[in-house]
Structures are given as C-alpha cells and as structure tokens.
C-alpha cells in the first residue's frame, strides 16, 4: 500500500544552512492497517505526512503508493493522486468558511474527473458520520466535533485508498475526541487504511501499530496484537 | 474538471464577498456605461447628420460673403459679394441646374395684428426654389414680376405661420416687416433644422430686389446657392468658384478669402468632425475608466488571493490542480467584468434615454452596446485576472494550507 525507501527531506530558507528534517525513512504500511505516527513537534512528522499525502516531494528516496511511483510525478499527477487516493483530516478541520457542510464535502468530487452526482454522494458521506441533519449548516454553526466529522466525511467522499489524519483530536474536547476516534475505529473495521499523526498516547493507543519518530528518523515501530 | 463546475466555484467565491464584488464591478460599470452612451449618441449623431445633409440638400454648392471658418449665413454687414460676382460665376460654370443669389438678414421683427415674432428675412429670385429644392406648399412662390416690380409680396416659413397665424390660412393676409407692409402670397414647405442647428422654417422670404433696394438699401448680396447636375463635381465646382472669386476680389496668397464656398460634402464632413471630437473625448473617458477598473480588479484580486491562501491550500489538498485554481480566479475576474459590463450597458442605455428626453440629444438605442460590453469586459477580465490567478495557482500547497 505505502512503501517509503530512504526518504530524506532538506530545507534551505533564505540562505541559512540546510536543515535535514527527514533523514532516511524506510516505512511500509499495508492495506487495512491503522497506524499512528508519534513524534514531538518539529521532529519531521508533518513533513512525513505531507510526503505520504503527496503534497510535498522528498529530496531523495522512493515512494510507492498503491504500487505507483510518486516521486517522479508532476504537479498535475500529484493533484490527481491526492484527489483519488488520499483523504486528509486536519487538526484545525480546514473546512471552507461560509460554505455549507454539504458543499464542503462536495469539494473532492468537484475536482474528480468522474461525472458523479455530487449532492447525493456528499449527503451519503455526511449521513455516514451522523450529520444527515446538518447538511446546510456552515462551519460557524457547528461544534468542533461536528466540524471534524464534516471534515472526515469530506476525506471519505471520494472513497480514497488512504485516510491521512494529522492530530485529528488536537482541537477537540474529550467527548468530541471520543466521537471522532469512534469513527476512525469504525473506518478501520471497515477495512480502510488509516495513518494518524499524534503526540497523544491515548489517541495513538487506538491504532494497531505505533511508529515513534525522533530527529527525522524512525525510533521504534511496534505492532499490537489485536 | 468540468467547466460548469469551475463556473460554480467562481460564482460561489464571489457570492461570499458581495461588497467586494460590487466594488470590483464599479469601474467596469462606469466604463461600459460611458461606452454605451458613446454608441447611442454616435448613432444619434449619425442619424442627425444624415437628416442635416438632407436639409442642406444634395448636389448643392453655396457661396457666402465674408471669410473665416464659420458656416451658415453671413453677418448682413459683409459687403464683399455682389450680383456681378454671381453673374460671373454663373457664366463660367457648366452643368448648373439652378442658380440663386440671395440676401439674408439677422432676425427682424414680424408683426401680424397683435401678434409678433422674429425671423431672418431672405431676398430671393424664383430660381431659389430649384436651387434649394424648396417650394411653396400653399399659395405662390416669389415670381420674376415680383422682382421686376420690387413688389411687397412675401412668403412665410412654417414656424412663422404657426407663431403669427396659428391654424388660420395666412395667404392673402398682410404682415409688417421692419415697418413695411407685405402681403403673404405663399407658404414654404417644411425644411426642419439646418446642419448648424438653425430652424430653417423660421423665415420670411421677399423678392431679392425688394430686399436690396426697398427694405435694406444695399448693393451687395449675402449668398449664392447652386444646384449642380452631378454630385461628383461638387469639389471641382467649389474650386472653380473659389478661383473666380479670388481673381475678381484681387486676393493673393497671404490675404484671407473674403468669401466661403461650402458644399454638401464639406458640410457633412464638418458635422462628422464635431461628433468625432465629442466621440473621441468620451471614448478616452471610457477607456480610462475601463483601465482604472481593470487595475482595481487586479489589485483586489491580489488581495483576495492572499486572503484566501488557506482556501487555495485546502482545494489543492483535495485534488485541485494548479490549473483548476487558475481557472477559478480567472473565472471570478471574468464574472465580475462581464457582470459589470452588462450592468454598465443597461445603465448606459438608461442614461442615453435620459439624455434624449432631458437634453433632447439625438440618441439611438441598439443592441451593439451589449456586444461591445461583453467584448471589452472579457478583455479587461482576462488581463486583470491573469496575474492574480497565476499567483494563486503557483502557491505551494503545503505553505498555502497553513494560511
């Protein structure tokens, strides 16, 4: 499903010396796995997320997603890959403001090359996360937990191969966090591949496999018996 | 991505910032409204010119006393043109169908009973009718006998008839012109407004001899009007007349002519010149407001692109290509300009109609402003929107999504 080989990422900012954020990451994630990546902030987990999510390209290394080599893709191919295969869930929800839940969920479908019934699919996705009665609400009219559920519906609507969640409970209270994690658990049971980045051990504890990172390298990789 | 989907995204984007969209439209609305007024007024002017040429008459050459660049009847104090000049011209030019020397005064007081009016007094011979293609619609025209006997018969234009007689028949009645009694023998056909904007139906016509000797005691005439057989000879005849008069008046190069020769063509060209000057001025105004409108749109678009960085990042994360983002912002610019253009065309037509009603300006309302509006708006939208749209498209998704 995901195969990273010797991934490095270096940044240079305004002539200051090069910073290596990722220093040779090898990682394999199989279909249907629920993986948590844990790292203190600034230790390269966001960069790794962006690379896995096809938003960013590594400085060196190889990345196969669903059997396809990603590193050599051009910008349009990366966009299309994100559209088809990746569903992002962000810490700060990243919903479009002043835009209804339904329209937010339609977003990935709009950029899909397939001619589908946007409204019907978006409504189904919102119903699946229990928000069938909030279709016309804009984000400011929804609670944090509801907003994150809209975001999850948006991530799911195009039926992606991989759900990529970056601190999905970071901005939520305990009750909402539980709601959201329940959805992830259910998605995992349905056979979805989920990669979740977090620094909260509780959240990571939901995953079946925990990868710890430090200084741009993988420190440990533990599988839990189910 | 489907084009209808791009249009939908662009429209939704605009609907979230209605005030901003309106401000962006403002310059385009003003520019296109001005352009619409130009087109309407231009067409109105064209119609007026055509009418003016009809009222001036086709195939006509006119000589008037006095130099300078003004058209129209001369000041009645100018003494340079004589009947001998007229005879000399008539003898040297072939193909003249009608030849009419005449005098014309400034407005004189005209009295009938207890009503009074004012009108220029024209002294004419019977040939005036053919030279102007201007006849009696009622009663008789001035005759050779009238001229031979210096009779106190006169003809009236429609405006004078309306003002002095109302619905009453003026033929046979007596009026006072400059303290002299005249008998009305006929009414001239309606001629409308001259190319100079004069009411040509406001006039009293008396025999040429009566005007020269009895009324004003002068030895000179004001104008000569010729009707020639061939429109293509207008300029040639005008040149011949000019050289004859230069010779007779002993005018050598540094001296200015003491007469003017005009013809149907030069009249039309002058009228066009006036409307062209006005049109050029308005066109400049319109282009400036479209240009300023475009710059305003480009600037607001740049601000908008920066403010909506996060939106761009989110769209990119869920699969929008750089091209999709570019189309979205270019689409917004085009919706703004084309929307503004159509609104401007409608407003321009309303203003044109207002000018026609209030200022009595000649205007012609037509569909062309809409075609022009869409054309110009599209051009402005593309130019103003392209750079902001490119900047939006070039944003790095990872940076953009951080906001």
């Amino acid at each position: 499903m995901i195969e990273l080989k010797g991934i490095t990422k270096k940044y240079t900012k305004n002539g200051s010396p090069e910073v290596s954020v990722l220093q040779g990451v090898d990682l394999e994630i199989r279909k249907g796995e629920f993986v948590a990546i844990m790292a203190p902030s600034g230790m390269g987990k966001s960069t790794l997320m962006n690379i896995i999510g096809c938003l960013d390209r590594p400085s060196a290394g190889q990345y196969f997603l669903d059997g396809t080599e990603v590193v050599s893709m051009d910008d349009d191919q990366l966009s299309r890959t994100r559209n088809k295969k990746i569903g992002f869930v962000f810490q700060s929800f990243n919903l479009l403001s002043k835009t209804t839940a339904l329209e937010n969920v339609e977003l990935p479908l709009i950029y899909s090359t397939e001619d589908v019934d946007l409204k019907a699919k978006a409504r189904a996705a919102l119903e699946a996360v229990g928000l069938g009665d909030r279709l016309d609400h804009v984000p400011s009219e929804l609670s944090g937990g509801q907003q994150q559920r809209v975001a999850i519906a948006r991530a799911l609507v195009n039926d992606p191969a991989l759900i990529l969640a970056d601190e999905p409970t970071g901005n939520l209270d305990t009750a909402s966090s539980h709601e959201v994690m329940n959805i992830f658990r259910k998605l995992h049971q349905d056979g979805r591949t989920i990669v979740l980045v977090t620094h909260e051990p509780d959240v990571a504890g939901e995953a079946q496999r925990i990868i710890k990172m430090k200084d741009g390298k993988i420190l440990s990789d533990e599988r839990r018996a189910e | 991505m489907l084009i209808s989907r791009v249009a939908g995204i662009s429209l939704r984007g605009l609907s979230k910032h209605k005030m901003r969209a309106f401000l962006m439209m403002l310059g385009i609305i003003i520019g296109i409204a001005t352009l619409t007024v130009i087109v309407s007024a231009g067409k109105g002017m064209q119609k007026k010119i055509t009418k003016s040429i009809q009222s001036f008459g086709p195939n006509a050459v006119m000589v008037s006393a006095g130099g300078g660049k003004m058209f129209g009847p001369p000041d009645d104090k100018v003494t340079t043109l004589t009947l001998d000049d007229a005879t000399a011209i008539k003898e040297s030019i072939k193909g003249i169908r009608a030849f009419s020397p005449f005098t014309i005064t400034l407005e004189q007081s005209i009295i009938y009973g207890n009503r009074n009016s004012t009108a220029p007094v024209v002294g004419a011979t019977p040939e005036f009718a053919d030279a102007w293609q201007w006849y009696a619609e009622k009663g008789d025209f001035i005759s050779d006998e009238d001229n031979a006997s210096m009779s106190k018969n006169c003809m009236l234009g429609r405006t004078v008839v309306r003002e002095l007689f109302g619905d009453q028949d003026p033929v046979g009645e007596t009026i006072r012109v400059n303290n002299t009694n005249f008998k009305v023998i006929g009414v001239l056909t309606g001629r409308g407004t001259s190319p100079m904007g004069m009411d040509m139906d406001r006039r009293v016509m008396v025999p040429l001899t009566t005007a020269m000797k009895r009324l004003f005691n002068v030895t000179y005439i004001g104008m000569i009007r010729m009707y020639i057989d061939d429109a293509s000879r207008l300029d040639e005849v005008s040149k011949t007349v000019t050289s004859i008069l230069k010779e007779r008046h002993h005018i050598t190069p540094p001296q200015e002519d003491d007469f003017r020769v005009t013809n149907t063509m030069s009249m039309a060209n002058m009228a066009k010149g006036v409307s062209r000057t006005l049109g050029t001025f308005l066109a400049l105004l319109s282009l400036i407001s479209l240009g300023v409108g475009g710059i305003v749109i480009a600037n607001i678009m740049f601000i908008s692109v920066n403010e909506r960085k996060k939106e761009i990042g989110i769209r990119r994360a869920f699969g929008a290509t750089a091209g999709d983002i570019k189309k979205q912002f270019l689409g917004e610019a085009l919706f703004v300009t084309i929307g503004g253009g159509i609104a401007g065309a409608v407003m321009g037509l309303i203003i044109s109609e207002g000018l026609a009603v209030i200022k009595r300006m000649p205007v012609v309302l037509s569909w062309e402003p809409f075609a022009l509006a869409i054309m110009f708006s599209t051009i402005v939208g593309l130019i103003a929107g392209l750079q902001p749209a490119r900047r939006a498209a070039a944003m790095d998704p990872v940076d953009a999504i951080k906001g």
Side-chain angles (χ1 to χ4, degrees):
Chain A
M1 177 73 214
I2 290 175
E3 202 182 345
L4 298 172
K5 282 183 190 163
I7 295 289
T8 64
K9 183 70 181 178
K10 291 168 185 164
Y11 287 110
T12 40
K13 268 188 187 168
N14 307 331
S16 57
E18 228 176 40
V19 183
S20 267
V21 185
L22 295 178
Q23 308 182 25
V25 173
D26 297 307
L27 181 60
E28 200 176 325
I29 295 171
R30 284 190 300 275
K31 192 166 161 49
E33 275 192 301
F34 186 176
V35 180
I37 297 176
M38 288 188 77
S41 49
M43 291 297 174
K45 65 180 194 291
S46 294
T47 306
L48 185 61
M49 279 278 300
N50 289 337
I51 288 171
I52 294 174
C54 302
L55 277 170
D56 205 354
R57 267 180 278 228
S59 305
Q62 281 182 303
Y63 172 22
F64 293 91
L65 172 63
D66 228 7
T68 318
E69 160 60 33
V70 171
V71 178
S72 59
M73 284 185 179
D74 67 17
D75 193 64
D76 281 3
Q77 288 171 317
L78 285 175
S79 299
R80 251 166 249 133
T81 304
R82 289 196 294 271
N83 183 253
K84 283 209 183 80
K85 299 196 170 166
I86 315 268
F88 288 97
V89 178
F90 301 94
Q91 178 175 6
S92 53
F93 321 138
N94 280 346
L95 296 176
L96 298 181
S97 61
K98 299 187 194 171
T99 303
T100 64
L102 194 68
E103 285 175 358
N104 263 298
V105 176
E106 281 174 12
L107 189 73
L109 298 173
I110 286 174
Y111 296 110
S112 149
T113 46
E114 286 152 48
D115 190 11
V116 293
D117 184 347
L118 305 186
K119 280 212 160 60
K121 276 196 96 170
R123 187 181 299 126
L126 278 166
E127 278 162 0
V129 295
L131 288 174
D133 55 344
R134 294 284 190 276
L135 302 182
D136 296 324
H137 288 55
V138 296
S140 58
E141 296 165 349
L142 297 170
S143 73
Q146 288 171 328
Q147 289 188 55
Q148 194 60 302
R149 277 148 70 194
V150 173
I152 293 169
R154 176 177 63 181
L156 288 173
V157 74
N158 234 356
D159 202 16
L162 174 67
I163 306 278
L164 209 47
D166 186 0
E167 303 272 12
T169 57
N171 284 10
L172 298 178
D173 58 32
T174 319
S176 300
S177 295
H178 277 297
E179 257 174 39
V180 165
M181 287 319 295
N182 283 340
I183 295 174
F184 278 112
R185 202 177 300 126
K186 189 171 171 296
L187 290 173
H188 172 53
Q189 282 162 9
D190 292 348
R192 301 243 176 214
T193 315
I194 300 168
V195 175
L196 187 148
V197 172
T198 186
H199 62 264
E200 291 173 65
D202 279 1
V203 174
E206 295 285 341
Q208 143 205 64
R209 179 178 166 195
I210 297 172
I211 296 164
K212 288 186 177 156
M213 286 183 68
K214 202 185 173 190
D215 297 330
K217 283 178 188 158
I218 291 177
L219 206 65
S220 68
D221 187 347
E222 297 166 23
R223 270 168 223 268
R224 283 196 315 158
E226 300 251 347
Chain B
M1 186 170 53
L2 301 171
I3 193 82
S4 60
R5 289 186 187 167
V6 188
I9 295 170
S10 300
L11 270 183
R12 276 185 215 164
L14 286 173
S15 70
K16 277 167 207 152
H17 303 93
K18 291 191 182 71
M19 191 62 196
R20 179 180 287 181
F22 172 71
L23 288 176
M24 283 161 86
M25 279 182 188
L26 211 55
I28 304 300
I29 293 177
I30 294 170
I32 295 293
T34 316
L35 200 68
T36 304
V37 173
I38 297 172
V39 173
S40 306
K43 285 178 143 263
M45 195 57 84
Q46 198 58 50
K47 201 172 149 195
K48 198 184 166 192
I49 290 167
T50 312
K51 265 179 86 178
S52 294
I53 291 169
Q54 276 163 7
S55 75
F56 185 85
N59 298 13
V61 177
M62 284 229 274
V63 182
S64 40
K69 287 210 167 68
M70 286 296 293
F71 288 81
D75 190 308
D76 49 9
K77 304 289 185 297
V78 181
T79 60
T80 46
L81 198 62
T82 64
L83 279 173
D84 290 342
D85 288 333
T87 313
I89 291 167
K90 192 178 180 181
E91 282 169 357
S92 6
I93 291 171
K94 291 188 185 73
I96 295 178
R97 278 212 216 146
F99 186 90
S100 160
F102 62 96
T103 62
I104 182 161
T105 66
L106 298 178
E107 303 219 335
Q108 309 287 319
S109 103
I110 319 288
I111 299 168
Y112 171 69
N114 57 5
R115 298 203 199 185
N116 60 70
S117 172
T118 60
V121 175
V122 174
T125 57
E127 273 199 87
F128 186 95
D130 284 334
W132 283 89
Q133 304 282 291
W134 197 358
Y135 303 97
E137 65 176 2
K138 201 181 269 181
D140 297 316
F141 208 84
I142 302 288
S143 66
D144 284 327
E145 291 81 66
D146 287 323
N147 270 289
S149 63
M150 278 188 269
S151 79
K152 292 197 276 184
N153 289 342
C154 75
M155 299 181 74
L156 301 179
R158 279 181 177 178
T159 305
V160 179
V161 172
R162 199 179 59 239
E163 287 180 1
L164 293 185
F165 295 92
D167 293 333
Q168 188 192 336
D169 183 1
V171 176
E173 301 296 321
T174 302
I175 61 166
R176 282 182 79 75
V177 179
N178 257 8
N179 298 323
T180 308
N181 285 332
F182 278 86
K183 187 182 152 199
V184 179
I185 59 164
V187 176
L188 288 160
T189 50
R191 188 89 178 186
T193 309
S194 81
M196 302 316 305
M198 255 176 55
D199 177 5
M200 292 179 77
D201 294 327
R202 176 182 290 285
R203 59 180 55 203
V204 173
M205 193 185 283
V206 302
L208 178 62
T209 51
T210 312
M212 287 175 76
K213 295 182 180 136
R214 211 186 267 272
L215 271 180
F216 306 110
N217 192 26
V218 294
T219 57
Y220 47 88
I221 55 171
M223 301 178 92
I224 301 165
R225 164 104 174 181
M226 277 164 263
Y227 187 74
I228 62 170
D229 54 4
D230 183 0
S232 66
R233 290 181 58 227
L234 282 171
D235 283 332
E236 175 210 320
V237 169
S238 297
K239 279 190 186 112
T240 313
V241 170
T242 304
S243 62
I244 291 168
L245 287 178
K246 268 187 199 279
E247 200 185 313
R248 289 181 56 85
H249 295 185
H250 310 291
I251 294 168
T252 47
Q255 276 176 286
E256 274 189 28
D257 292 349
D258 59 2
F259 61 90
R260 272 162 295 146
V261 181
T262 52
N263 61 43
T264 311
M265 295 304 294
S266 61
M267 210 71 195
N269 288 339
M270 190 212 58
K272 277 178 200 155
V274 171
S275 70
R276 196 172 297 137
T277 312
L278 190 73
T280 309
F281 172 73
L282 283 174
L284 209 67
L285 200 74
S286 160
L287 283 181
I288 290 171
S289 44
L290 284 178
V292 171
I295 293 168
V296 168
I297 290 172
N299 275 301
I300 297 181
M301 290 288 296
F302 274 126
I303 296 169
S304 176
V305 165
N306 281 336
E307 275 183 1
R308 289 159 68 187
K309 212 171 156 181
K310 197 176 188 83
E311 177 195 329
I312 295 165
I314 294 169
R315 290 183 183 279
R316 294 284 271 133
F318 287 96
T321 61
D324 291 336
I325 298 295
K326 190 166 144 188
K327 282 181 214 155
Q328 176 188 347
F329 281 92
L330 206 53
E332 287 189 15
L334 282 173
F335 271 119
V336 161
T337 55
I338 294 175
I342 291 170
V346 170
M347 226 171 84
L349 288 178
I350 293 169
I351 293 171
S352 302
E353 185 58 27
L355 285 174
V357 172
I358 298 162
K359 294 272 180 189
R360 308 197 60 77
M361 257 177 67
V363 300
V364 174
L365 306 185
S366 58
W367 57 269
E368 278 103 324
F370 288 98
L372 280 177
I374 288 169
M375 197 179 86
F376 276 94
S377 314
T378 307
I379 293 170
V380 173
L382 285 176
I383 294 175
L386 198 58
Q387 275 315 108
R390 275 191 184 148
R391 183 183 287 184
M395 281 182 180
D396 176 28
V398 176
D399 279 343
I401 207 160
K402 289 176 194 156

